[in-house]
C-alpha cells in the first residue's frame, strides 16, 4: 500500500514488499491476497484476533513456513527488490538477513556465549576468537544484556529468567547482523516488567533494523510501533500509521477490534 | 392405574418437591464408605502380593545360580615337587637360554616329566589334570634357570577330585548313585591327608576358552567372542539405526509411505530372533559365502535384529527435542542438516544411547540366531579375529548345560553369573546415562 497517501510522502523505498500473498495449509487458505510494505525505519506491528493469520504471514517473510508440511505460499515477497521465493535465493542467507525472535524464549541449551556465537560461526562472520568476542559483546550490549551476563558468559542460557532468555534470543538474532528482525509475540510468555524491558529494547533497536512485531496486545502495538497492520480472517484489513489506526481507523472492522467489540 | 398416576399428579413438573439434604450418617451410606475402603485395601494388597511373588521368583533364581555357580570361580590344585631334569625333557640345558631356547622348550617332553613327578602322589598319581604339564612348561619358559633344579608347583587336579574338595558329593549315599567312585574318594582322602590340596581362585576360568575337561574350561574365549560380535553389531546397528531415525523424523515426507515404514519397523522389532538366524544362514553364509561360526556374521545378524529397537528409541529421543530449538536454529540460518547435527542429535543422544545399550544388552543375551550360523561350535581357542570361529557367552552357557560331565554344572552357573553381571552393568550404565543427561523441557 505504498500508494496510501497517509503513509509519508518522501520515504525511502520499503525494505520488504509483499504483493498478493496467499498461504495454504493443505486445502485451507490461511492468508488471502495480502499486500504490504515494510519500512526500514520503523517498527511495524501486526495485530488482529487469534487465528487471523498474522503469525503465518510473518513466517512467510523469512520462509519459515518452508519447514511446515503441506504449507504453500504464492504471490511475491521481496527483500530490497529481490524475490525471496525465487530459486536463486539462498534460504540460509535470507534467514541471516531476516532474523527471527519467537513467542517462547528458545535459547539453545548451551552457554550464553555459545548462544550468541552460534549464528556468526555458522555464517563465518568472525575471523578470530577476538573477533568473535567482539561480536558477542556488541550483540549482548545492543540487547541490553551485557551488564547482567558479562561475568557469567559460560553459564547455560536456559538457566536465566524468561525475560533475560528472550533478550538473549534477540542478541542471538542481532549477532548475525540482520537487516530485518521479525518478532512473533515476543512478550507473550513474559511478566509485565520483562515485557517493558523488551519494549524499551525494541525502541532502542528501531532505525538500525527494520522490525516487524506480531502482537495480540494492542497497547503494546500502540507503544512500540509506528505502523500498524490489522489482520482479520487471513486478510489485511487496514495498514496505516499506528496513530491513525488507533485513533481514526477507516474500516469498521478495525474500529470494532480496537474498541474491543471482538478479538 | 390411579395409584401409579398419583405421584405425577401430586408433584407436577412445575413444582418439584424440595430436595432433602443428604444424610451421610445412614447405615447404607456408612456401608458404602466401608466397602470403598475395603476395595482399596484389597487392591493394594493384591499389588503388593504380585510384587512379592515376582521378587521371590527372582530371588530364587539368583539364589540357585549363585549357590551352584560361585564354586565355578574356584579350582583345586595339588602340590608336586618337580625335578626339572633335562634328559627326561630331552632338551639341552645350555641352549635353553639361547635364541631358540623358547622354541626348544615348547617342544620338550613335558608329559614325561609330569608322569615322573606324579609318582610321588602314590595311589593318586593319575588324578592330575590332563593339562597339568602346561603348568610345568610355563614355569620353565618363564624362568629357564629352573632347568636341572627342583621346584614345588601347584597343578590342577581332575574334575572329580576338584568337586570332592568343594564338597559337591553326598558321600553317605551308596557308591553307584553318588556320581563318584570309591577309588576317587580314596585318592582324594589320601591327597587331603598329605596336605597336598588347596582350593583357590580359578584364573583359568576367566582366561581360557572351552575344553572337554571341566577343570580347564573357561569363559574367556566366549567373552571375547561376545565382545567381537557386539563390536560388529554396534558398528553396524548404531549408525544405520540413528541415520534411519533421523531421516524418518526430520526429513521423510509424512504420508502413506512413512506410515508403512513405521509399521514395518515396529513389526520388525517383534520378529522372533530365530528368524534373523535363518536369514543370516541363508544370506550371509549360503549366498554371500561368509565364514561359519564367525563373530562377523554373528554381529551382522544381531545388528539386523536390534536395529529396529535402536530406530524406535532414537525416534522417540529425536521427537522429544522441542520444535522451538529447531525453529531457533533455522531462524538464524542453519541448514536442516546443521540443525540435526548441531542441535537435535546432541540433545537426543542420551536417549539414543539408552536405547542402544538396551538393544546391545538384548544382543548379548541372544542365542537362537547364533545357533543357526554355527556359533555353537566347540572352540578351544580364544578367537583370533572377526572371521575366526568363536562362540558367545549365552551359547557357552547352553553348551555347558548340555554336557554330561558333573564338573560342568558349576561352570554353567558360573558362566550365567558372568553373563548377568555384564548385563546388569550395561543396564546400569543405560540408567545412569538417562538420569545424568536427560533434559526436561
Amino acid at each position: 500500500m505504498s500508494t496510501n497517501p497517509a503513509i509519508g510522502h518522501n520515504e525511502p523505498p520499503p525494505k520488504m514488499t509483499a504483493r498478493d500473498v496467499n498461504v495454504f495449509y493443505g486445502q485451507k487458505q490461511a492468508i488471502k491476497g495480502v499486500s504490504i510494505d515494510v519500512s526500514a525505519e520503523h517498527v511495524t506491528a501486526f495485530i488482529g484476533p487469534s487465528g487471523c493469520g498474522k503469525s503465518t504471514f510473518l513466517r512467510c517473510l523469512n520462509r519459515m513456513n518452508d519447514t511446515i508440511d503441506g504449507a504453500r505460499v504464492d504471490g511475491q515477497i521481496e527483500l530490497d527488490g529481490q524475490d525471496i521465493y525465487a530459486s536463486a535465493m539462498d534460504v540460509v542467507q535470507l534467514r541471516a538477513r531476516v532474523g527471527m525472535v519467537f513467542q517462547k524464549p528458545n535459547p539453545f541449551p548451551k552457554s550464553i556465549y555459545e548462544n550468541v556465537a552460534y549464528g556468526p560461526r555458522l555464517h563465518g562472520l568472525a575471523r578470530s576468537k577476538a573477533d568473535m568476542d567482539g561480536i558477542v559483546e556488541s550483540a549482548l550490549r545492543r540487547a541490553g544484556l551485557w551488564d547482567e551476563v558479562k561475568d557469567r558468559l559460560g553459564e547455560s542460557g536456559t538457566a536465566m529468567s524468561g525475560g533475560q532468555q528472550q533478550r538473549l534470543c534477540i542478541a542471538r538474532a542481532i549477532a548475525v547482523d540482520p537487516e530485518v528482525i521479525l518478532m512473533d509475540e515476543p512478550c507473550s510468555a513474559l511478566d509485565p516488567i520483562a515485557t517493558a524491558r523488551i519494549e524499551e529494547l525494541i525502541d532502542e533497536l528501531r532505525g538500525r533494523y527494520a522490525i516487524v512485531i506480531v502482537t495480540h496486545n494492542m497497547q503494546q502495538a500502540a507503544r512500540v510501533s509506528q505502523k500498524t497492520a490489522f489482520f482479520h480472517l487471513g486478510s489485511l484489513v487496514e495498514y496505516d500509521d499506528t496513530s491513525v489506526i488507533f485513533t481514526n481507523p477507516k474500516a469498521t472492522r478495525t474500529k470494532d477490534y480496537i474498541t474491543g467489540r471482538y478479538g | 392405574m390411579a395409584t401409579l398416576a398419583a405421584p405425577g399428579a401430586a408433584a407436577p413438573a412445575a413444582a418439584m418437591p424440595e430436595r432433602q439434604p443428604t444424610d451421610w450418617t445412614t447405615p447404607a451410606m456408612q456401608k458404602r464408605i466401608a466397602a470403598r475402603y475395603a476395595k482399596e485395601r484389597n487392591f493394594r494388597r493384591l499389588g503388593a502380593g504380585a510384587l512379592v511373588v515376582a521378587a521371590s521368583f527372582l530371588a530364587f533364581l539368583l539364589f540357585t545360580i549363585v549357590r551352584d555357580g560361585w564354586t565355578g570361580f574356584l579350582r583345586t590344585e595339588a602340590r608336586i615337587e618337580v625335578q626339572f631334569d633335562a634328559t627326561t625333557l630331552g632338551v639341552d640345558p645350555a641352549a635353553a637360554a639361547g635364541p631358540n631356547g623358547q622354541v626348544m622348550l615348547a617342544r620338550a617332553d613335558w608329559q614325561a616329566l609330569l608322569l615322573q613327578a606324579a609318582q610321588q602322589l602314590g595311589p593318586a598319581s593319575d588324578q592330575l589334570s590332563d593339562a597339568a604339564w602346561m603348568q610345568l612348561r610355563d614355569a620353565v619358559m618363564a624362568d629357564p634357570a629352573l632347568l636341572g633344579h627342583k621346584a614345588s608347583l601347584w597343578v590342577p587336579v581332575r574334575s572329580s577330585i576338584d568337586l570332592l574338595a568343594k564338597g559337591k558329593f553326598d558321600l553317605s549315599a551308596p557308591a553307584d548313585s553318588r556320581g563318584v567312585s570309591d577309588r576317587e574318594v580314596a585318592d582324594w582322602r589320601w591327597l587331603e591327608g598329605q596336605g597336598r590340596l588347596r582350593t583357590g581362585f580359578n584364573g583359568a576360568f576367566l582366561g581360557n576358552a572351552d575344553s572337554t575337561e571341566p577343570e580347564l574350561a573357561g569363559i574367556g574365549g566366549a567373552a571375547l567372542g561376545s565382545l567381537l560380535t557386539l563390536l560388529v553389531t554396534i558398528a553396524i546397528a548404531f549408525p544405520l539405526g540413528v541415520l534411519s531415525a533421523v531421516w524418518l523424523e526430520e526429513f521423510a515426507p509424512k504420508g502413506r509411505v512413512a506410515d508403512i515404514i513405521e509399521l514395518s519397523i515396529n513389526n520388525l522389532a517383534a520378529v522372533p530372533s530365530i528368524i534373523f538366524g535363518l536369514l543370516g544362514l541363508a544370506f550371509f553364509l549360503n549366498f554371500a559365502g561368509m565364514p561359519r561360526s564367525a563373530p562377523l556374521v554373528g554381529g551382522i545378524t544381531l545388528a539386523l535384529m536390534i536395529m529396529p529397537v535402536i530406530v524406535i528409541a532414537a525416534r522417540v529421543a529425536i521427537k522429544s527435542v522441542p520444535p522451538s530449538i529447531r525453529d531457533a536454529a533455522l531462524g538464524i540460518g542453519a541448514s536442516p542438516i546443521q540443525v540435526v547435527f548441531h542441535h537435535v542429535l546432541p540433545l537426543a543422544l542420551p536417549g539414543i544411547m539408552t536405547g542402544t545399550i538396551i538393544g546391545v544388552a538384548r544382543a548379548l543375551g541372544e542365542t537362537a540366531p547364533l545357533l543357526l550360523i554355527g556359533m555353537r561350535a566347540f572352540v578351544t581357542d580364544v578367537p583370533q579375529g572377526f572371521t575366526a570361529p568363536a562362540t558367545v557367552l549365552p551359547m557357552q552357557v547352553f553348551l555347558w548345560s548340555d554336557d554330561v560331565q558333573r564338573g560342568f554344572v558349576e561352570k554353567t552357573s558360573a558362566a550365567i553369573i558372568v553373563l548377568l553381571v555384564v548385563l546388569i552393568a550395561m543396564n546400569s550404565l543405560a540408567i545412569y546415562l538417562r538420569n545424568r543427561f536427560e533434559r526436561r523441557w
Side-chain angles (χ1 to χ4, degrees), chain B residues 403-432:
Chain B
D403 203 291
V404 290
Q405 289 191 70
R406 181 74 181 250
F408 279 115
V409 173
E410 61 175 20
K411 301 293 167 197
T412 307
S413 292
I416 292 173
I417 293 174
V418 172
L419 185 57
L420 285 182
V421 166
V422 176
L423 283 172
I424 290 170
M426 288 177 78
N427 283 333
S428 308
L429 180 68
I431 291 169
Y432 170 78

Side-chain angles (χ1 to χ4, degrees), chain A residues 69 92 95 106 118 123 172, chain B residues 254 324 328 330 332-333 342-343:
Chain A
D69 270 333
V92 166
R95 290 188 190 139
N106 56 356
Y118 181 69
H123 300 291
R172 182 175 65 190
Chain B
K254 305 275 175 285
S324 66
L330 284 172
I332 217 163
H342 294 174
H343 300 284

Side-chain angles (χ1 to χ4, degrees), chain A residues 59 62 64 67 69 92 95-96 98-100 102 104 106-110 118-119 122-123 158 172 176, chain B residues 252-254 322-336 338-339 342-343 347 439 441:
Chain A
R59 291 170 70 94
N62 69 343
M64 282 295 278
T67 60
D69 270 333
V92 166
R95 290 188 190 139
V98 183
M100 191 157 195
F102 297 84
K104 205 176 136 243
N106 56 356
F108 299 128
K110 301 180 180 206
Y118 181 69
L122 211 56
H123 300 291
T158 51
R172 182 175 65 190
V176 289
Chain B
K254 305 275 175 285
S324 66
I325 294 293
R326 295 181 178 82
D327 278 349
L330 284 172
I332 217 163
S335 69
Q338 287 169 327
V339 172
H342 294 174
H343 300 284
L347 292 174
R439 182 175 289 278
W441 303 95

Side-chain angles (χ1 to χ4, degrees), chain B residues 7-30:
Chain B
M16 287 239 301
E18 190 79 0
R19 188 176 161 177
Q20 295 300 312
T22 308
D23 182 5
W24 297 98
T25 56
T26 59
M29 203 56 105
Q30 291 298 326

Side-chain angles (χ1 to χ4, degrees), chain B residues 122-181:
Chain B
S125 63
D126 62 344
Q127 296 297 5
L128 293 179
S129 169
D130 283 345
W133 60 269
M134 291 182 189
Q135 224 83 354
L136 275 53
R137 180 194 63 186
D138 295 347
V140 177
M141 286 180 72
D143 178 16
L146 273 178
L147 266 186
H149 293 82
K150 197 168 178 168
S152 179
L153 280 182
W154 289 96
V155 296
V157 295
R158 283 191 190 282
S159 180
S160 47
I161 303 293
D162 180 46
L163 294 178
L164 278 164
K166 289 171 182 168
K168 291 280 181 184
F169 294 109
D170 176 13
L171 294 178
S172 60
D176 54 352
S177 69
R178 72 184 172 212
V180 62
S181 71

Side-chain angles (χ1 to χ4, degrees), chain A residues 79-141:
Chain A
L79 171 65
D80 284 337
Q82 251 182 308
D83 183 359
I84 66 168
Y85 279 89
S87 55
M89 172 57 78
D90 175 36
V91 182
V92 166
Q93 203 196 338
L94 169 71
R95 290 188 190 139
R97 292 173 64 189
V98 183
M100 191 157 195
V101 176
F102 297 84
Q103 189 168 352
K104 205 176 136 243
N106 56 356
F108 299 128
K110 301 180 180 206
S111 70
I112 294 171
Y113 184 95
E114 283 304 315
N115 262 285
V116 182
Y118 181 69
R121 188 167 296 147
L122 211 56
H123 300 291
L125 301 183
R127 255 165 240 92
S128 64
K129 174 83 173 74
D131 222 7
M132 183 63 87
D133 289 348
I135 290 176
V136 170
E137 180 176 342
S138 76
L140 284 170
R141 272 189 198 285

Side-chain angles (χ1 to χ4, degrees), chain A:
Chain A
M1 311 218 163
S2 50
T3 51
N4 190 333
I7 303 175
H9 310 285
N10 43 7
E11 285 191 6
K15 189 71 191 168
M16 295 191 84
T17 57
R19 289 291 171 272
D20 268 329
V21 173
N22 295 294
V23 180
F24 301 86
Y25 289 132
Q27 291 300 308
K28 191 173 156 279
Q29 186 167 7
I31 295 289
K32 296 166 190 160
V34 169
S35 300
I36 197 166
D37 289 347
V38 173
S39 139
E41 324 279 281
H42 297 138
V43 175
T44 307
F46 292 175
I47 62 170
S50 301
C52 68
K54 55 194 190 297
S55 285
T56 300
F57 182 70
L58 187 78
R59 291 170 70 94
C60 292
L61 298 180
N62 69 343
R63 291 183 57 177
M64 282 295 278
N65 284 333
D66 289 14
T67 60
I68 298 170
D69 270 333
R72 189 162 58 80
V73 179
D74 65 31
Q76 197 175 32
I77 302 178
E78 289 178 352
L79 171 65
D80 284 337
Q82 251 182 308
D83 183 359
I84 66 168
Y85 279 89
S87 55
M89 172 57 78
D90 175 36
V91 182
V92 166
Q93 203 196 338
L94 169 71
R95 290 188 190 139
R97 292 173 64 189
V98 183
M100 191 157 195
V101 176
F102 297 84
Q103 189 168 352
K104 205 176 136 243
N106 56 356
F108 299 128
K110 301 180 180 206
S111 70
I112 294 171
Y113 184 95
E114 283 304 315
N115 262 285
V116 182
Y118 181 69
R121 188 167 296 147
L122 211 56
H123 300 291
L125 301 183
R127 255 165 240 92
S128 64
K129 174 83 173 74
D131 222 7
M132 183 63 87
D133 289 348
I135 290 176
V136 170
E137 180 176 342
S138 76
L140 284 170
R141 272 189 198 285
R142 263 183 227 160
L145 202 56
W146 176 251
D147 291 329
E148 291 162 61
V149 302
K150 63 182 172 199
D151 298 322
R152 49 186 186 116
L153 291 175
E155 279 175 34
S156 173
T158 51
M160 302 194 294
S161 75
Q164 287 177 321
Q165 288 189 18
Q166 195 62 300
R167 277 183 282 145
L168 178 62
C169 293
I170 293 174
R172 182 175 65 190
I174 289 174
V176 289
D177 199 25
E179 296 154 38
V180 183
I181 300 179
L182 309 176
M183 298 186 177
D184 189 358
E185 301 189 22
C187 301
S188 64
L190 304 182
D191 64 59
I193 295 170
T195 299
R197 188 73 194 75
I198 300 276
E199 287 177 5
E200 270 172 46
L201 177 57
I202 292 172
D203 209 46
E204 286 162 21
L205 297 176
R206 173 163 58 90
R208 181 178 282 277
Y209 310 102
I211 295 176
V212 183
I213 176 171
V214 162
T215 174
H216 55 219
N217 178 337
M218 281 179 283
Q219 286 73 35
Q220 185 172 67
R223 283 193 299 264
V224 302
S225 72
Q226 289 72 49
K227 305 261 178 189
T228 298
F230 172 61
F231 285 77
H232 188 227
L233 300 176
S235 308
L236 176 61
V237 177
E238 193 167 351
Y239 179 42
D240 211 326
D241 285 348
T242 300
S243 53
V244 176
I245 292 277
F246 281 95
T247 54
N248 190 20
K250 291 176 188 64
T252 341
R253 278 196 282 175
T254 316
K255 189 186 279 172
D256 287 350
Y257 181 70
I258 300 295
T259 54
R261 290 267 179 90
Y262 64 90

